[in-house]
């Protein structure tokens, strides 16, 4: 019978054997990791220890199960215990020591490998950080992905903000780049074509950044891709620079081709490297003659043979021009082509050899210079003529002043007898001193009185106009109410309007300010304009006086009538002295032609202006505007300069 202690010892032995077996499996796995193929001393030590322990247990089993077959149970147990105590434990101890030695050596080697792996990863991380690229890794078999913190930072994310899944990459791809990127990955995995492409990924704030991605796959023994890893760098600035360069290049090319000057560029070997269409057009080359790489000598020979450089020998001209260019000199010349065009040629040597030639058509400029020379000759004649005209103008001004002075003097001389004629004819007309007898005498007296008044008005107009033109007239300026002067003028012309069957309408703006001006001359302006309107308006018509003001533009007096009107082309004539418009409509109206010119002169004397608009059969509108500086509002004083200040 096997005792319970024997059974318990057997169970413990099997547990030890299982633990040792599992340790052996783990140890061998580590050895594969460390040395792959060749056995290490630590492995031999472990295997030896396991062999000793195995021998121990085999011997133990023999004594446990074989001895009882040949001897009594008690003697067998005694023999087994003797072996255990004297021999087997020594074998087991040596086995366990060998295993411990093997494990210690293995752990030391594993620690060394881990440290080398850590150093390698650290060097790789430093290198990747220095390159400023992000890293990515894709396990194709499990579809697991990894994106380094720098990879995510390029897109504006922190490490924890993006998941390390394949969808993170595919979702960020620009829609226009998706097919291109996927095709590049597929081509690399299937055909092993190098993976190095540029595309766009969406940034955290919504815009897209340009990146360059490079990667390498790992294929299994059967040719199937197992893993793919690589790097990703931000190339947005480079792309922006390239786009700017493309734009600038296009702009330069467009500018180069649109220039009116013909340009040709030659390298150090005198080969044509650039030209524009103006170069071909100005020099009259055939369409297919000029080409890149063409020699300067070939182009020059063509021009010589066409006769552009006279009758000199072609080879001599070519040698001379080439020699000049080889001296790295810049020069300018002008030449006349066979078709008569004049071209300017500028040659600029380049520092590294070669030169740039610029042609410009200066035919018009040369013609203009010739015309300018002729004009200078004519200018001398005109200068002499202008001097003569200046003398004549001075003489005319002197004569005009003499005329004005004569008219002023004559007006004074005429006023004295006219006043007597008017006064005595009025006494006779009114029979102030008694009856004159015949009624015809009274009629004659009325005619004499009316003619005298008319002549006095003419003399007064001539005198006033002469004073204004000679600069002798001065303004007697004061502040006055605009409505009051308007009413007084209307009273003067009211009887004449009623006699002519006319309606007079008045439109005055409320709250008109005071006007700082010569009250007598303003009254004369309004009287002349209203009298003209009444005189040239048929019965049943209407004359309107409107007055308004604007603080920024001044005071406006406007007289509008429905009279016979003036043709637009005759308005300038009506505003000149003694200007009589020759028409059947106004020939029946008497007048000297001084009213409008005098009125205009008086308005301009105040710094204002007069505007006349008219149409035959519709009527006439005269607008008189006094400047805003002549407006006097409550609490302010007029700021318009006086006549004396203006004159000074």
């Amino acid at each position: 019978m096997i005792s319970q202690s024997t059974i318990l010892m057997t169970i413990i032995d099997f547990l030890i054997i299982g633990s040792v077996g599992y340790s052996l499996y783990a140890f061998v796995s580590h050895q594969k990791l460390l040395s792959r193929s060749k056995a290490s001393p630590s492995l031999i030590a472990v295997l030896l220890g396991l062999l000793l322990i195995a021998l121990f247990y085999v011997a133990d089993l023999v004594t446990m199960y074989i001895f009882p077959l040949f001897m009594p149970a008690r003697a067998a147990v005694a023999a087994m215990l003797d072996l255990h105590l004297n021999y087997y434990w020594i074998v087991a101890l040596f086995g366990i020591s060998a295993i411990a030695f093997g494990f210690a050596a293995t752990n030391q080697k594993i620690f060394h490998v881990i440290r080398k792996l850590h150093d390698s990863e650290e060097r790789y991380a430093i290198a990747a950080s220095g390159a400023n690229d992000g890293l990515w890794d894709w396990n194709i078999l499990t579809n697991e992905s990894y994106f380094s913190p720098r990879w995510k930072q390029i897109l504006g994310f922190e490490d924890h903000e993006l998941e390390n899944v394949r969808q993170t990459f595919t979702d960020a791809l620009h829609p226009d780049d998706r097919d291109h990127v996927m095709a590049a990955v597929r081509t690399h995995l299937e055909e092993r074509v190098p993976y190095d492409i540029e595309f766009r990924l969406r940034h955290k704030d919504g815009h897209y950044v340009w990146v360059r991605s490079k990667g390498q796959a790992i294929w299994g023994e059967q040719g199937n891709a197992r893993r793919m890893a690589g790097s990703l760098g931000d190339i947005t600035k480079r792309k922006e620079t390239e786009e700017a360069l493309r734009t600038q290049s296009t702009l330069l090319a467009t500018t180069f081709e649109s220039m009116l000057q013909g340009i040709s560029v030659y390298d150090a070997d005198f080969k044509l490297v650039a030209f524009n269409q103006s170069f071909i057009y100005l020099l009259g080359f055939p369409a297919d003659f000029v080409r890149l790489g063409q020699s300067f000598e070939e182009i020059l020979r063509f021009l010589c043979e066409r006769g552009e450089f006279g009758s000199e020998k072609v080879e001599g001209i070519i040698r001379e021009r080439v020699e000049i260019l080889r001296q790295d000199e810049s020069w300018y010349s002008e030449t006349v082509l066979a078709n008569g065009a004049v071209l300017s040629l500028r040659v600029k040597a380049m520092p590294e050899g070669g030169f740039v030639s610029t042609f410009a058509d200066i035919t018009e400029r040369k013609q203009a210079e010739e015309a300018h020379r002729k004009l200078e000759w004519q200018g001398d004649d005109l200068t002499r003529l202008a001097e003569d005209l200046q003398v004549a103008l001075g003489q005319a001004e002197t004569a005009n002043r003499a005329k004005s002075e004569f008219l002023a003097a004559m007006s004074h001389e005429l006023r004295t007898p006219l006043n007597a004629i008017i006064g005595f004819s009025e006494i006779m007309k009114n029979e102030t001193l008694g009856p004159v007898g015949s009624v015809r005498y009274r009629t004659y007296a009325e005619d004499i009185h009316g003619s005298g008044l008319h002549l006095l008005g003419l003399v007064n107009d001539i005198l006033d106009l002469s004073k204004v033109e000679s600069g002798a007239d001065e303004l007697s300026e004061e502040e006055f109410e605009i409505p009051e002067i308007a009413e007084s003028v209307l009273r003067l012309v009211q009887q004449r309007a009623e006699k002519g069957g006319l309606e007079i309408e008045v439109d005055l703006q409320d709250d008109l300010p005071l006007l700082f001006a010569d009250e007598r001359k303003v009254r004369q302006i309004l009287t002349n304009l209203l009298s003209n309107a009444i005189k040239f308006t048929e019965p049943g018509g209407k004359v309107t006086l409107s007055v308004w003001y604007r603080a920024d533009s001044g005071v406006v007096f406007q007289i509008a009538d429905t009279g016979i009107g003036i043709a637009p082309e005759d308005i300038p004539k009506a505003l000149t002295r003694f200007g009589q418009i020759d028409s059947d409509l106004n020939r029946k109206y008497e007048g000297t032609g001084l009213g409008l010119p005098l009125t205009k002169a008086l308005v301009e004397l105040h710094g204002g202006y007069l505007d006349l608009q008219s149409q035959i059969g519709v009527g006439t509108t005269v607008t008189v505007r006094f400047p805003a500086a002549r407006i006097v509002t409550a609490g302010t004083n007029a700021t318009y300069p006086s006549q004396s200040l203006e004159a000074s």
Side-chain angles (χ1 to χ4, degrees), residues 78-79 397 412 515:
E397 290 178 349
H412 282 294
L515 183 64

Side-chain angles (χ1 to χ4, degrees), residues 141-157:
L141 299 179
T142 64
N143 203 31
E144 294 176 338
S145 296
Y146 166 76
F147 304 103
S148 70
R150 174 56 187 158
W151 191 98
K152 299 174 184 178
Q153 185 183 21
I154 291 174
L155 302 185
F157 292 94

Side-chain angles (χ1 to χ4, degrees), residues 269-330:
D269 296 327
F270 288 9
K271 300 293 184 181
L272 186 64
V273 294
F275 64 93
N276 63 359
Q277 292 301 312
S278 295
F279 171 69
I280 299 175
Y281 171 75
L282 290 176
L283 292 176
F285 291 118
D288 300 331
F289 175 72
V290 180
R291 63 190 182 278
L292 295 178
Q294 193 173 18
S295 69
F296 171 71
E297 293 184 7
E298 182 181 351
I299 294 175
L300 187 59
R301 179 174 285 104
F302 175 86
L303 295 175
C304 291
E305 292 175 351
R306 199 172 64 181
E308 300 295 353
F309 300 99
S311 58
E312 300 181 24
K313 293 183 179 181
V314 174
E315 297 302 325
I317 295 175
I318 294 176
R319 281 196 303 271
E320 179 185 353
R321 294 297 178 95
V322 171
E323 184 62 29
I324 293 175
L325 292 172
R326 291 191 186 281
Q327 295 175 3
D328 294 333
E329 293 184 357
S330 300

Side-chain angles (χ1 to χ4, degrees), residues 95-202:
I96 293 172
S97 298
I99 293 174
F101 172 77
F103 269 109
T106 300
N107 287 336
Q108 183 177 4
K109 188 173 292 186
I110 290 174
F111 174 77
H112 180 67
V113 171
I114 292 174
R115 186 175 63 183
K116 290 179 65 176
L117 179 62
H118 179 268
D119 293 341
S120 177
E121 290 178 346
E122 187 176 49
R123 284 193 297 271
Y124 187 71
I126 293 173
S129 176
N132 205 28
D133 287 349
L135 304 178
W136 54 270
D137 182 17
W138 176 32
N139 189 327
I140 301 174
L141 299 179
T142 64
N143 203 31
E144 294 176 338
S145 296
Y146 166 76
F147 304 103
S148 70
R150 174 56 187 158
W151 191 98
K152 299 174 184 178
Q153 185 183 21
I154 291 174
L155 302 185
F157 292 94
E158 297 293 334
D159 187 24
H160 67 276
E161 292 182 301
L162 285 179
E163 292 186 84
N164 289 321
V165 294
R166 180 69 173 166
Q167 189 176 358
T168 296
F169 171 70
T170 56
D171 287 350
L173 277 172
H174 192 285
D176 296 340
D177 297 338
R178 187 181 304 276
D179 294 341
H180 166 62
V181 173
M182 295 306 174
V185 173
R186 186 167 53 254
T187 303
H188 176 68
L189 296 179
E190 296 175 358
E191 303 177 14
R192 305 195 180 189
V193 175
Y195 178 78
D196 186 354
I197 60 172
E198 297 175 356
F199 53 90
R200 289 162 290 181
L201 292 176
R202 187 174 61 250

Side-chain angles (χ1 to χ4, degrees), residues 376-504:
E376 286 182 345
W377 299 335
Q378 296 174 357
D380 294 337
D381 296 336
L382 290 175
T383 300
R384 289 189 292 271
L385 180 60
E387 292 173 352
D388 295 340
L389 289 175
Q390 188 67 29
V391 174
L393 180 60
Q395 294 173 350
E397 290 178 349
T398 301
N400 188 52
R401 285 194 299 271
K403 178 202 66 176
S404 298
E405 293 172 358
F406 170 75
L407 289 176
M410 287 301 298
S411 297
H412 282 294
E413 294 297 328
L414 289 173
R415 274 183 172 181
T416 301
L418 278 175
N419 286 332
I421 292 172
I422 293 171
F424 289 133
S425 62
E426 185 175 6
I427 291 174
M428 294 173 64
K429 177 175 69 72
N430 295 331
E431 296 181 335
T432 303
L433 300 179
V436 294
S438 174
V439 176
R440 296 176 63 184
Y441 290 153
R442 189 168 64 249
T443 302
Y444 294 155
E446 291 176 355
D447 292 341
I448 293 170
H449 184 265
S451 299
L453 289 176
H454 176 71
L455 185 56
L456 180 60
L458 175 60
V459 171
N460 287 336
D461 287 346
I462 293 174
L463 178 60
D464 291 342
L465 188 58
S466 298
K467 288 172 63 178
V468 172
E469 289 182 343
S470 63
D473 200 4
E474 295 183 358
L475 296 178
S476 178
E477 297 168 318
E478 59 181 328
E479 300 174 5
F480 57 86
E481 298 280 352
I482 296 175
E484 290 182 2
I485 195 170
E487 292 174 2
S488 66
V489 173
L490 288 172
R491 284 196 298 270
L492 290 176
V493 300
Q494 184 68 40
Q495 185 177 1
R496 193 182 309 171
E498 292 175 353
K499 184 178 179 180
L502 304 178
E503 176 188 355
I504 295 184

